[in-house]
Amino acid sequence: MKQLSMKSVDLTQKNIKKIAELFPNVITEARDEYGKVTRAIDFDLLKQDLSDVLVEGEKERYQLTWPGKKQAILNANTPIDKTLRPVKEDSVDWDNTQNLYIEGDNLEVLKLLQESYLNKVKCIYIDPPYNTGKDFVYKDDFREPSDKYLEESGQVDAEGNRLFQNTESNGRFHSDWLTMMYARLKIARNLLRDDGVIFISIDDNELVNLRSICDNLFSGNFVAQITTLCNPKGRSQDKYFATNHEYVLIYSKSTLPKGYFSIEKEEVQIETEYPEEDENGRYRLLELRNTHREFGRHNRKNLFYPFYVNPANKKISLDYVEGFIKVEPVWEDGYEGCWTWDKAKATREMHLLVAKQNPSGMWKIYRKSYAEGATKMLKTIFNDKLFYTEKGQLTFSELFNEKAKLFQSPKSVDLIKCLLNTVTRNNDIVLDFFSGSATTAHAVMQLNAEERDKRGKRKFILVQLPEKTDVNSEAYKAGYKNICEIGKERIRRAAKKIKEETGADIDYGFRVFRVDSSNMKDVYYTPDKLKQGDMFDLASNIKEDRTGEDLLIQVMLELGLELSLPMETKQIEGKMVYYVAGDSLIACFDDNVPESVIKHIAAEQPRRVVFRDSSFADDSARINVEEWFKLLSPGTEIQVL
Ligand SMILES: C[S@@+](CC[C@H](N)C(=O)[O-])C[C@H]1O[C@@H](n2cnc3c(N)ncnc32)[C@H](O)[C@@H]1O
């Protein structure tokens, strides 16, 4: 029950709440004038969030901090002049699919998706490097082009791989990992819907640090820490105990209602747990008497009242009837307990009540609990064999018909399916930005295929760095030169298998995109640095190797349109015209677009239209465009590149 405070509102706390909605990471705790711990703003972090340079200054307060925390905020906020380019040749069913596979550094990809997927993702699953000293962490420095930075800092190998091993001898072992994760989680959170959820696989190496940064970034919306039995034999190389578990941390973007993660009970469970059946379906009988002895007549007076049962036909009444047997919530030893329903509810739900006499002759009241819609809460220890790492490896190897390990420790498809099943349905988007061998895509397709109507519609967005495979590795020998090649092939093979096994009518395709430098020449962003000679170049502010489709994707990212939207092209009087989701966006990037084509496009009354500056012969042609749209489609937003 909520208690009235009988005080005027605490405006400071109200303001802190508003700031917390925008910048959850700046919330900390401080003592007020009476020494009570209350929520407060970490102004240094807020300043950092509002600044594009490093801000100095530290005060004692409750927080997890490390050298690099502010740099992480800066990394998360610094804009990049990059884009995504479509890779149609690697895609499957480009025209119809809603799934995406994006190759690139996930910090860059998450930044590029900020407009198009803001508040749209229902669920994120990630399995980041655990910082074991053998997996890799990436250095983010967006102030300098990364190649130059990496060259200077010696972090590229002979092949130009952008990797360095974060070994424990590195004095910044945990800090580097935290800086890497903090920046990514901070901006990934923006993509989650308000009822969105993140699942993160992790082990003991960084569990505590990860929990601290997530408590901070997800405003304390901790859901659970699942322990998964992943390797029953245990790791014999461990020093003291043979570790055989890892964790899945779960956080939500906002506070979710009780039971939110509960799942429907499976058919077998229903058959054993609900043995009775009537015209309304399967049910079980639950005692109406509260089985907790701490509740009884002494402290729940309204729940202590009699029923009257006709011993001949077991009919129940709440009113006294001559000859009926009085039944009270009394325990066999005479203790006066109580019912779980009050009298009003018992009156309303009388049709669910059943009276039974037990062998000792005592009458009891039961209520029917139907199986329909019955859910169960998952427990925090996952020990199902299907979730073992070994099972993940087996599923992967079977797909590739290979005994050799092309990818080290892919997760179990069933584990990810089980997590996704708690919160996703319909058209929900699932994002994995450390996708490795693409287990998440496999799990999404499998879950969709297992829906009752075999037509699940969840969509995935996978992100993976095109990390080169070692020249001596089995993957390299099998022809997979980087991890993205393995991921994409995994999705193709998993799709084929699921289709063969289930015949489900689901989306088996995916659109591939790759991070690349912007389509625009540098002069576009820095006109002040223009030299005289560059002027000739201005006629085309777009790089020569870029296509109309490249431009279309960059425009979609900027305008906040999802990359899975249907795209079409039409030739109108020899000019290429792009349509995104019907009339959501129409674009033409050709030169010298004649007035007749402009009129044609305006007559279609699109919501947005985009041309290139050079699409128009001169200023008067540009003005004419505006006039035509004013006349034919005044609601259209007109933009030029
Ligand atoms: C532990 S694996 C994920 C395995 C995956 N869950 C599976 O079942 O196959 C982590 C992956 O994240 C990738 N990765 C690491 N840093 C990345 C980054 N900055 N951007 C994108 N991917 C990255 C690694 O290449 C690696 O494939």
Side-chain angles (χ1 to χ4, degrees):
M1 206 172 289
K2 211 168 158 197
Q3 197 175 9
L4 290 174
S5 75
M6 306 297 276
K7 280 191 285 191
S8 68
V9 281
D10 181 342
L11 278 179
T12 308
Q13 284 302 323
K14 235 180 144 183
N15 287 337
I16 289 176
K17 201 169 158 220
K18 282 187 207 154
I19 290 187
E21 276 160 22
L22 287 174
F23 305 102
N25 58 309
V26 307
I27 300 301
T28 180
E29 286 172 5
R31 290 197 182 276
D32 66 12
E33 58 202 289
Y34 309 108
K36 203 175 124 216
V37 176
T38 56
R39 285 194 348 150
I41 303 285
D42 182 332
F43 285 103
D44 286 337
L45 285 186
L46 182 61
K47 264 197 234 161
Q48 186 59 73
D49 239 325
L50 298 173
S51 169
D52 51 12
V53 288
L54 265 186
V55 177
E56 298 302 329
E58 280 293 317
K59 257 192 356 218
E60 197 178 344
R61 64 178 76 82
Y62 169 75
Q63 64 168 337
L64 168 77
T65 193
W66 66 93
K69 182 170 184 181
K70 286 194 199 157
Q71 186 65 53
I73 298 176
L74 196 60
N75 290 349
N77 292 348
T78 311
I80 48 169
D81 56 351
K82 300 233 168 162
T83 191
L84 295 179
R85 297 181 68 187
V87 188
K88 280 196 160 172
E89 58 281 17
D90 286 3
S91 307
V92 176
D93 196 15
W94 173 279
D95 287 336
N96 302 309
T97 185
Q98 304 262 305
N99 300 318
L100 309 180
Y101 187 92
I102 307 178
E103 302 184 7
D105 184 308
N106 49 18
L107 185 57
E108 296 182 340
V109 176
L110 289 168
K111 286 183 182 191
L112 290 169
L113 299 184
Q114 289 292 305
E115 297 289 338
S116 299
Y117 289 91
L118 187 75
N119 290 329
K120 293 209 178 133
V121 172
K122 172 67 201 191
C123 160
I124 297 177
Y125 168 77
I126 50 168
D127 174 21
Y130 289 177
N131 207 15
T132 57
K134 289 199 204 85
D135 49 6
F136 296 108
V137 175
Y138 298 86
K139 192 88 181 166
D140 306 311
D141 193 326
F142 289 96
R143 286 164 309 167
E144 292 183 55
S146 49
D147 296 349
K148 183 169 158 260
Y149 173 82
L150 291 171
E151 242 171 62
E152 280 175 8
S153 56
Q155 289 178 38
V156 278
D157 64 14
E159 269 95 31
N161 279 352
R162 188 193 165 186
L163 310 172
F164 77 98
Q165 209 162 15
N166 195 27
T167 56
E168 281 209 64
S169 58
N170 168 12
R172 297 168 46 98
F173 183 67
H174 293 288
S175 304
D176 281 343
W177 189 88
L178 278 166
T179 305
M180 186 276 290
M181 287 301 288
Y182 191 82
R184 285 159 175 82
L185 288 172
K186 185 172 187 301
I187 54 171
R189 180 186 174 278
N190 300 338
L191 304 184
L192 281 178
R193 277 168 26 179
D194 283 348
D195 59 354
V197 170
I198 183 164
F199 299 96
I200 312 175
S201 284
I202 198 70
D203 73 0
D204 285 315
N205 284 293
E206 296 293 352
L207 171 77
V208 175
N209 286 331
L210 183 63
R211 264 191 84 152
S212 292
I213 56 172
C214 287
D215 282 342
N216 179 226
L217 288 170
F218 291 91
S219 325
N221 284 315
F222 169 77
V223 173
Q225 174 176 311
I226 307 282
T227 301
T228 55
L229 176 62
C230 55
N231 165 19
K233 289 194 203 112
R235 272 201 312 245
S236 53
Q237 66 271 38
D238 281 353
K239 202 165 171 186
Y240 303 117
F241 285 84
T243 311
N244 59 0
H245 71 281
E246 52 184 46
Y247 309 97
V248 178
L249 274 189
I250 313 176
Y251 282 81
S252 57
K253 190 167 176 180
S254 59
T255 311
L256 298 170
K258 182 170 171 23
Y260 196 82
F261 290 76
S262 295
I263 58 163
E264 266 184 36
K265 289 186 174 170
E266 292 119 31
E267 214 58 53
V268 265
Q269 192 177 1
I270 285 179
E271 272 164 30
T272 47
E273 286 181 4
Y274 297 80
E276 323 277 344
E277 198 161 0
D278 65 12
E279 62 285 0
N280 296 320
R282 291 191 87 94
Y283 69 89
R284 62 180 169 180
L285 290 178
L286 299 177
E287 256 206 77
L288 192 68
R289 195 191 60 194
N290 194 325
T291 50
H292 295 277
R293 219 172 149 97
E294 57 271 37
F295 303 113
R297 184 174 195 172
H298 66 289
N299 59 2
R300 294 288 184 277
K301 285 196 175 53
N302 63 325
L303 300 179
F304 189 93
Y305 53 90
F307 287 97
Y308 298 91
V309 177
N310 180 344
N313 61 9
K314 298 185 184 168
K315 207 173 160 324
I316 305 173
S317 165
L318 273 164
D319 302 318
Y320 171 78
V321 183
E322 185 69 48
F324 280 26
I325 292 162
K326 186 175 179 186
V327 183
E328 288 177 324
V330 176
W331 293 58
E332 313 225 333
D333 62 2
Y335 173 75
E336 291 188 322
C338 63
W339 304 116
T340 47
W341 290 357
D342 63 13
K343 217 166 172 175
K345 183 155 189 195
T347 312
R348 276 195 317 273
E349 311 279 5
M350 186 56 89
H351 60 284
L352 295 177
L353 297 182
V354 172
K356 275 188 160 191
Q357 194 176 22
N358 71 12
S360 65
M362 192 172 177
W363 282 89
K364 286 188 164 191
I365 306 291
Y366 296 85
R367 64 181 174 87
K368 288 180 179 179
S369 160
Y370 285 95
E372 170 88 25
T375 58
K376 64 171 178 187
M377 232 183 231
L378 294 181
K379 311 229 169 67
T380 51
I381 294 183
F382 281 14
N383 56 3
D384 194 319
K385 283 193 177 77
L386 294 172
F387 300 165
Y388 293 174
T389 313
E390 197 180 81
K391 182 69 182 18
Q393 195 81 56
L394 192 71
T395 309
F396 178 88
S397 305
E398 275 171 9
L399 276 181
F400 282 79
N401 303 320
E402 285 269 0
K403 282 234 169 61
K405 288 189 179 169
L406 300 185
F407 189 86
Q408 201 62 39
S409 309
K411 281 280 173 294
S412 141
V413 175
D414 289 287
L415 170 66
I416 302 185
K417 241 175 60 189
C418 169
L419 298 173
L420 299 182
N421 193 32
T422 57
V423 290
T424 64
R425 58 185 67 81
N426 301 336
N427 293 301
D428 286 347
I429 301 177
V430 176
L431 167 67
D432 180 347
F433 53 89
F434 283 101
S435 64
S437 72
T439 311
T440 301
H442 191 157
V444 168
M445 291 188 291
Q446 188 77 47
L447 200 57
N448 281 342
E450 286 170 10
E451 287 277 294
R452 260 185 216 130
D453 62 357
K454 293 189 172 182
R455 301 179 72 155
K457 293 210 159 26
R458 295 169 191 84
K459 314 174 222 186
F460 62 77
I461 302 178
L462 260 53
V463 182
Q464 172 58 40
L465 191 82
E467 184 181 333
K468 293 194 174 139
T469 47
D470 190 296
V471 281
N472 298 316
S473 68
E474 296 299 331
Y476 189 90
K477 287 182 211 154
Y480 301 103
K481 300 289 180 278
N482 68 49
I483 296 180
C484 294
E485 298 307 317
I486 301 177
K488 288 178 286 186
E489 186 57 19
R490 158 81 177 273
I491 308 176
R492 292 186 200 107
R493 290 178 185 236
K496 183 166 176 278
K497 184 163 188 274
I498 295 170
K499 198 172 185 175
E500 278 167 10
E501 285 176 0
T502 66
D505 180 17
I506 59 161
D507 183 356
Y508 294 106
F510 58 98
R511 287 182 177 173
V512 179
F513 294 90
R514 197 169 283 152
V515 173
D516 207 330
S517 62
S518 164
N519 296 313
M520 316 310 283
K521 288 182 181 162
D522 282 351
V523 291
Y524 184 80
Y525 297 106
T526 50
D528 48 322
K529 295 199 186 130
L530 218 57
K531 288 192 261 81
Q532 198 66 42
D534 296 331
M535 286 302 202
F536 298 108
D537 227 18
L538 257 187
S540 173
N541 49 15
I542 291 156
K543 290 178 185 156
E544 278 73 27
D545 65 332
R546 304 305 163 102
T547 63
E549 257 167 11
D550 288 330
L551 295 177
L552 184 70
I553 300 300
Q554 190 162 3
V555 165
M556 286 171 69
L557 289 173
E558 185 159 342
L559 296 180
L561 296 174
E562 290 178 26
L563 297 177
S564 57
L565 288 174
M567 302 175 203
E568 268 183 289
T569 51
K570 282 187 202 163
Q571 286 281 344
I572 303 176
E573 294 179 34
K575 301 294 172 196
M576 181 70 93
V577 181
Y578 297 89
Y579 290 73
V580 176
D583 61 3
S584 276
L585 164 69
I586 301 187
C588 179
F589 306 115
D590 284 352
D591 286 334
N592 301 321
V593 180
E595 215 166 88
S596 52
V597 174
I598 305 281
K599 268 162 53 186
H600 186 118
I601 295 176
E604 304 209 39
Q605 302 194 317
R607 286 186 51 205
R608 310 168 188 87
V609 69
V610 179
F611 298 104
R612 265 172 77 172
D613 215 21
S614 60
S615 299
F616 316 115
D618 50 34
D619 280 352
S620 72
R622 199 172 295 119
I623 292 166
N624 278 348
V625 170
E626 278 170 345
E627 291 306 319
W628 276 120
F629 272 91
K630 250 189 228 156
L631 191 69
L632 296 173
S633 181
T636 301
E637 270 173 51
I638 313 170
Q639 322 235 7
V640 284
L641 286 183

